[in-house]
Structures are given as C-alpha cells and as structure tokens.
Amino acid sequence: MATTIHPPRDPNTLSNYNKWISTHITVNFDILFEQKKLVGNVVHKLKSITDAESTDIILDASHVDINNVKVDGKASHWELLPPLEPYGTALKIKLNDGVRLNDMVEVDISVKTTEKCTALQWLTPAQTSNKKHPYMFSQCQAIHARSVFPCQDTPDVKSTIDFNITSPLPVIASGLPVRDISKKPQLDGKTLYQFHQQLPIPSYLFALASGDVSEAAIGPRSVVATSPDKLRECQWELEADTENFIHAIEKIVYPYAWGEYNVLILPPSFPYGGMENPIFTFATPSIISKDRQNVDVIAHELAHSWSGNLVTNASWEHFWLNEGWTTYLERRILAAVHGEAYRHFSAIIGWKSLADSVEHFGHDHPFTKLVTDLRGKDPDDAFSSIPYEKGFNLLFYLENLLGKDKFDRFIPHYFTKFKGKSLDSYEFKATILDFFQRDQESSKLLDNLDWDAWFYAPGLPPKPQFDTSLVDVVYDLSNKWKSLPDSTFQPQPTDIEGLTANQIVVLLEQIHLFKEPLTAELSRILGDVYGLSKSENIEVSNLYFQVGLRAGDETVYKPTADLLGKIGRMKFVRPLYRNLQKVNRPLAIDTFEKNKDFYHPICRAMVEKDLFGERGE
Ligand code: BES
Ligand code: ZN
C-alpha cells in the first residue's frame, strides 16, 4: 500500500521533506579567513519516507557555490531552481533509480560559501578585542543555514551531525568535541577540529565560530569561551549563576540532555542578545556588565536546551512554542533562584515590551497573533516580542487556571512526549487536553478555554494580575520626576539606593514614556545625580541616552555616537540610530558611515533601511 504524502507543514522551506528526511549530516569545511569563505563538502544521509515514485531530492540553498553532487558515490544530475525570495535557489538532485520506503541515499555536495552568505560574519583582526587575529561566526536562525550549505532548512527535520573543520584558529561548534582526537594538527599549520552532535538537531541550530578564543570554567559542566584578554571578566560574570540555573531548571523539567552547557561570548558585532546553539550558547558581550545583572539572557538560552532544542516548533508559524515556553521556563528559573517576586518583575517588563510591539505593528496586525501565517513571508520580518510574551502569557494563564501543582506535572510530560521531535500548536493543545482528560475539573476548564482566541486573535491577551512589589518603588520615583519642575522634589543619589540595574531600567522606561520629555537640564541632572552616564551596564546607558536624546540634551550626543561604534546588538543599535537622527541627522549618518563595516550584515541592512529607506548599497 502506498503511503500518503502530506504537503510540508513548514511554508518557509523549498525542500521536499515530505518525501525525504535527512537523518545524518557530515560537514567537512576548511575555514579560509583570507577569502572569507568556507570550502568543503557536506554529506546527507537521506531516508525515503514514501514509496510513491520519488526520484528528486530538493534541498534549500541560498547564495552557495556548488561544484558537484554525488549520489551514493556516483556523479549525479543536479540543478539550481530559479530564485524564490526570501527562500533562495533550491538545489534539485535527480536520482537514477527509483527508491522504496525507508531506502537510504547518500548525497555528497561540494560547496563553497560566497560573500552574499547571510549567516556568516567575517571580522578582520582590527575588528576583534585584542586586534591580533581574524574571527568568523555563524547565525543560522531562522532560515540562514541554507546560505552555509544545502540542507532541509526547516525546524521540522532533525539530523545528527559530524563536524570536521580545519582552521588556523580554535573552532567552536554546536556539537561535543570528539573524545581524545578532537584536534589533529595538519601539515599546513592548520588544525582539524572534530565535533559530534549525537542528539538530532534542526538546521537552524548548526553553529560554527573560529577565532582567538580561550576557555575558563564557570561551573562543573560549563566553560565560557572568549578572547583571552576578556576571559577573566566573562568568567566572573557567569560563574555565580550558571550551575544554579541548570540545577533549577532540571528540577522543573528533567536532567540536562546535552552533556556540557557552555557560553561563547562573541565580538560586539553579534546581532542578538543570545542564541541557543547546542553545547555552546552564543552571546553578546553586552551581557558582561560587571554587575551580574544581565545573566537572565543565560537563563533564557539555557532553557532553550529543553524548549526549542529538544522540543522544537515545527515551523516558524509556531515560534511561540520555542520562545514562549523558553520565556516561561526562564522566569521559572529566576523564581527558583531569586524568588517569585522577581519572576513577576520580569513578566511586568515583558508585558511592556508586548504592549510596545502591539503598538508598533497595530492592534489588528496579523503578526500580533500567537500563531502566524508565514506563507511567502520571511520569518525574520515577523520577529518581535509577541511570540515570547503572548506565549508566556498563555502558559502563565494555564498555570493559574489549573493550579501550579497540576501544571508542574504537565511540564515534564510535555517535554518527554516531544523530546527529539517537532510539533505545532494543535499538537500542544491536544497534548494538554489529553493529559488532563481524566481529571474532570481541569478537563472542563481546558475545554472551556477559548483556544481560538489565544491562537488567532490579534492584539493583547487578557492582562494577568502581577505581583508589583518590585516595581511599585520605581513607579513612585518616576512619579516624582514627572512632577518636576513644578514640585519641590530634589533628586539625590540615595533615591536609587538598593535598586537593581533592572529596576533602574524600568525607571528610565517610565521617564521615557512621559507625555512631555524632560528638559535638557533635568535629563542631565538625572544622569549626573544617579551616575547613569557612566554605567557599565549597557541596558542602563542605552536607555539613559534615549531619555537624553528625547530631551535634546546635547551632552549625550557624542557618548551615543561612541556607543554605536562599540556595539552591534540590534536591540540597542536600531533605536539609538532612529532617535539620534531625529536630533542630529548629520551625526547619525556620519556615525553609520564610520561604523558600517563593523556591523553584522543583517544589522547593517536594517540600520540602512532605518536611516535612508530602501536605498540599498
Ligand atoms: N533564539 C533567539 C534569538 C533569535 C530569534 C535569533 C529569532 C534569530 C531569529 C534567542 O533565544 C533569544 O530569544 N534571544 C534574546 C534573549 C532574550 C529574550 C533574553 C535576544 O537576543 O535578545
Ligand atoms: Zn529565545
């Protein structure tokens, strides 16, 4: 009997993964820093999942240079299909013989990356911390793996991976070093680095970095890797919390499955806060704030080791299953380590960013839905805090509806049932309904829940009751600032005594929200009296500059421009440029021209759009 072929449920891949599944990938790459290229070959072991006539294998590919393709050792016919942006030029490989259900085929593709590769950034020595060596790193999420090598670039397919990478500099990858023989010196002064990822992972978790990095322990199963001149401060920032975080989440879900949990602190052009690459989380150096106040990012990326990396959204339309669950688990970790009030504090900050995103897109915009329609769309364009925070709110709502004890029993069940698999929102719903089926009271509550509204209604969900104990004090202080200059309030350094950096962030957010901006003079006083202008915590200095720019305080213009030359994290860079250009456009343009080569290609393109519209290069 012929098997039924379902259309792929991921609309953002051109691969025919409904007929073939790549079960194992061997990636052999030589890192060529002078040419800014990866050169080598990639071997897919593909399994046929249909017995219908299937003689074509279609893989995603984008801006890669393909030399030849072998199928089971023999040269084969292949072609690149016409470009279909934003999905690229798919690679179609013809098989000579028909195959049957469960047959295996080995496809070996010789490939080079090109300068148009969207996943890789290549840095010159001058762009690195100690300025001695070049550096390269990848960022594949959401659909950039296809610009590194042809693959089934969908979170709905998982493969084990062997990495064989030669480089003149240390290499980091999303696999464990192969025991005993992970480093083999080569004749040309390079070293072969070998890694193996034995748990199946989707393409977007493929990761590579190479540069002058060394490692230091931050816990019994964790190291931090970074430029040798930054190693000690990165170690200090992370060594107090990492193992506590792992321990906390292991109690909530189940033991950590990946062996080691490490963190690579990248050069400052890394465009995100963090990326949950297995074995090695990639993170921005802006979390190294010398006050251990930005380690929430680590709790978040660590939580992805369960939500996302073991249990994965089947397509980017169900991205909340990755990010909403991760935000929920991140806050459970924070509650376990710092107390329940802290979880609520974090959720209140999250609610504000949710409200900001809904405001930004518009209350009826389809991207404000929890489950989105991404047919024909670029998942990066739909990216916002909505899947994070609306997703968190659905899970928090379920926790309160069922009671924490009952919800806590569901968590390990869910992460066990889908371990190593990908799922969509409908399977999530079916699973929780099924789990509580025999508990009449819970079952009734779940049946009566308006699932369609949660999944498909645009705009804000119902606002929960949060514990405001950690924000009340901040709101009181911001109200005093609001009353100026008419009141007798005299700002003193003691106003912020005992407040955490994150509470100061909330204070600045509130001040930034005032209908009337502060006067330039008051903004300067705010910075001077509270010592904000000199903060090492970039979350604080970023927001202080935002307040100062809005106030027209010229003394922050230069420090803002200086900061824009030091950091490439889009969360800070884009808003700072947008606001700097409002008060001093020539300075904004000048700053961009000076720094554009420093930014990651994605960040550069975004800022260019923000400053000049769609002019292109
Ligand atoms: N996986 C995301 C980053 C990402 C999402 C990269 C979509 C590319 C496409 C990561 O886990 C993340 O959410 N990072 C946040 C950290 C934060 C929420 C603590 C970031 O970069 O700001
Ligand atoms: Zn995340």
Side-chain angles (χ1 to χ4, degrees):
M1 195 181 71
T3 43
T4 333
I5 304 169
H6 296 283
R9 59 177 163 175
D10 178 359
N12 301 140
T13 176
L14 300 176
S15 72
N16 57 349
Y17 80 88
N18 53 344
K19 297 187 178 172
W20 300 93
I21 296 285
S22 176
T23 58
H24 181 76
I25 309 175
T26 305
V27 178
N28 307 308
F29 271 137
D30 200 358
I31 301 182
L32 301 182
F33 282 105
E34 315 74 49
Q35 296 182 38
K36 302 189 169 177
K37 268 182 195 168
L38 300 178
V39 176
N41 69 311
V42 170
V43 184
H44 286 276
K45 281 198 175 126
L46 292 142
K47 180 173 158 180
S48 164
I49 54 166
T50 165
D51 61 2
E53 190 64 13
S54 61
T55 48
D56 291 338
I57 297 170
I58 303 174
L59 300 176
D60 289 299
S62 174
H63 302 300
V64 283
D65 186 354
I66 294 169
N67 224 309
N68 71 69
V69 178
K70 285 187 277 188
V71 176
D72 291 331
K74 283 185 241 139
S76 135
H77 289 289
W78 58 274
E79 62 175 315
L80 287 178
L81 300 180
L84 192 64
E85 293 314 330
Y87 306 132
T89 45
L91 169 64
K92 185 169 166 179
I93 300 162
K94 276 244 164 289
L95 300 188
N96 292 325
D97 309 313
V99 286
R100 283 173 309 201
L101 184 65
N102 295 331
D103 278 356
M104 299 294 296
V105 163
E106 201 172 87
V107 171
D108 182 342
I109 305 161
S110 297
V111 62
K112 291 183 193 143
T113 61
T114 67
E115 61 181 3
K116 287 191 171 162
C117 174
T118 50
L120 303 179
Q121 186 176 14
W122 298 86
L123 300 174
T124 61
Q127 293 170 310
T128 67
S129 180
N130 62 11
K131 321 239 177 276
K132 288 192 195 148
H133 298 281
Y135 199 106
M136 64 78 62
F137 66 88
S138 66
Q139 167 56 49
C140 289
Q141 197 180 13
I143 57 169
H144 301 287
R146 64 191 70 179
S147 75
V148 183
F149 59 86
C151 59
Q152 295 181 317
D153 199 6
T154 166
D156 211 4
V157 172
K158 298 186 182 191
S159 326
T160 50
I161 306 189
D162 279 312
F163 301 76
N164 301 305
I165 312 292
T166 49
S167 174
L169 294 166
V171 174
I172 276 165
S174 46
L176 285 171
V178 174
R179 206 187 314 202
D180 303 331
I181 51 153
S182 69
K183 288 180 211 169
K184 287 186 195 143
Q186 307 290 291
L187 292 174
D188 53 4
K190 295 183 178 178
T191 303
L192 169 65
Y193 294 85
Q194 296 186 299
F195 308 87
H196 179 58
Q197 180 48 264
Q198 57 171 0
L199 296 177
I201 60 169
S203 57
Y204 78 92
L205 293 177
F206 173 87
L208 267 189
S210 185
D212 180 15
V213 296
S214 43
E215 297 178 355
I218 51 169
R221 40 185 153 172
S222 307
V223 298
V224 63
T226 195
S227 175
D229 59 313
K230 294 278 159 56
L231 191 58
R232 183 64 197 118
E233 62 196 64
C234 292
Q235 184 184 32
W236 182 86
E237 199 83 24
L238 305 176
E239 67 190 355
D241 296 293
T242 305
E243 181 62 22
N244 289 342
F245 287 169
I246 304 177
H247 201 70
I249 188 168
E250 285 187 319
K251 285 213 255 177
I252 298 165
V253 193
Y254 50 64
Y256 184 71
W258 304 84
E260 299 172 18
Y261 176 76
N262 305 316
V263 180
L264 172 66
I265 301 294
L266 283 114
S269 63
F270 189 64
Y272 290 98
M275 176 64 214
E276 65 271 26
N277 297 318
I279 314 295
F280 257 104
T281 281
F282 283 20
T284 167
S286 66
I287 66 166
I288 309 301
S289 45
K290 303 188 173 156
D291 56 6
R292 295 178 173 162
Q293 289 277 313
N294 287 302
V295 287
D296 302 19
V297 173
I298 299 303
H300 180 95
E301 305 313 335
L302 167 68
H304 273 303
S305 307
W306 290 262
S307 48
N309 298 5
L310 284 179
V311 176
T312 310
N313 51 213
S315 81
W316 304 114
E317 297 182 326
H318 305 274
F319 190 40
W320 78 272
L321 289 170
N322 275 19
E323 297 299 345
W325 260 113
T326 298
T327 303
Y328 177 82
L329 292 174
E330 170 199 341
R331 290 181 183 148
R332 290 293 301 267
I333 295 173
L334 297 179
V337 176
H338 301 299
E340 186 66 4
Y342 197 92
R343 171 162 90 127
H344 284 247
F345 175 73
S346 174
I348 291 168
I349 296 177
W351 184 271
K352 185 181 178 293
S353 70
L354 173 61
D356 287 349
S357 294
V358 168
E359 205 57 49
H360 168 81
F361 282 123
H363 290 247
D364 288 329
H365 195 282
F367 287 168
T368 67
K369 297 177 184 182
L370 189 64
V371 180
T372 50
D373 177 357
L374 294 182
R375 281 174 297 178
K377 300 238 161 28
D378 183 341
D380 284 352
D381 287 339
F383 179 79
S384 77
S385 26
I386 287 160
Y388 292 73
E389 298 300 339
K390 213 179 203 184
F392 164 80
N393 272 282
L394 171 55
L395 297 166
F396 190 56
Y397 183 86
L398 288 167
E399 176 199 308
N400 287 313
L401 183 75
L402 301 163
K404 196 146 177 261
D405 288 350
K406 285 189 185 175
F407 191 67
D408 277 0
R409 286 200 283 277
F410 172 66
I411 296 173
H413 169 76
Y414 168 74
F415 284 100
T416 304
K417 176 164 183 196
F418 292 103
K419 186 176 177 181
K421 299 195 171 73
S422 306
L423 82 159
D424 59 28
S425 304
Y426 321 115
E427 291 174 278
F428 168 78
K429 176 182 163 186
T431 302
I432 192 165
L433 289 177
D434 184 57
F435 184 76
F436 289 106
Q437 191 197 358
R438 267 183 264 145
D439 166 353
Q440 268 192 12
E441 189 194 341
S442 303
S443 196
K444 201 161 154 218
L445 290 167
L446 289 170
D447 281 339
N448 290 337
L449 196 140
D450 192 348
W451 289 95
D452 280 353
W454 273 103
F455 285 176
Y456 306 118
L460 290 173
K463 185 171 180 177
Q465 284 257 314
F466 293 121
D467 167 353
T468 58
S469 53
L470 288 170
V471 285
D472 287 338
V473 41
V474 181
Y475 290 164
D476 287 348
L477 183 56
S478 82
N479 281 333
K480 289 187 188 157
W481 278 91
K482 203 189 251 171
S483 67
L484 289 174
D486 303 331
S487 76
T488 56
F489 170 57
Q490 293 244 335
Q492 309 282 337
T494 50
D495 298 345
I496 59 161
E497 220 170 60
L499 294 190
T500 63
N502 287 331
Q503 284 174 307
I504 293 175
V505 164
V506 174
L507 172 69
L508 291 168
E509 276 180 354
Q510 290 303 312
I511 295 177
H512 197 51
L513 278 177
F514 290 173
K515 264 211 194 85
E516 287 298 317
L518 294 184
T519 62
E521 195 197 344
L522 274 178
S523 180
R524 209 160 38 238
I525 293 173
L526 173 74
D528 290 345
V529 175
Y530 297 163
L532 303 179
S533 32
K534 290 177 212 79
S535 176
E536 293 239 36
N537 187 314
I538 196 177
E539 298 278 352
V540 172
S541 45
N542 164 58
L543 271 169
Y544 171 62
F545 294 155
Q546 298 286 5
V547 169
L549 291 175
R550 183 160 179 251
D553 171 11
E554 294 188 9
T555 64
V556 302
Y557 295 3
K558 187 169 179 308
T560 300
D562 290 346
L563 186 64
L564 284 166
K566 283 189 234 150
I567 190 75
R569 183 178 174 187
M570 289 194 278
K571 174 181 171 184
F572 303 125
V573 171
R574 296 186 65 193
L576 282 174
Y577 271 115
R578 272 190 241 124
N579 292 319
L580 182 61
Q581 73 153 341
K582 283 189 200 153
V583 291
N584 190 337
R585 185 164 159 85
L587 178 61
I589 291 173
D590 203 46
T591 306
F592 177 66
E593 295 298 337
K594 247 195 249 159
N595 296 314
K596 64 180 178 189
D597 289 339
F598 155 73
Y599 300 129
H600 186 281
I602 295 174
C603 176
R604 189 186 314 146
M606 292 292 191
V607 174
E608 199 147 68
K609 264 191 225 170
D610 291 341
L611 288 179
F612 307 106
E614 307 264 352
R615 80 164 186 188
E617 269 292 322

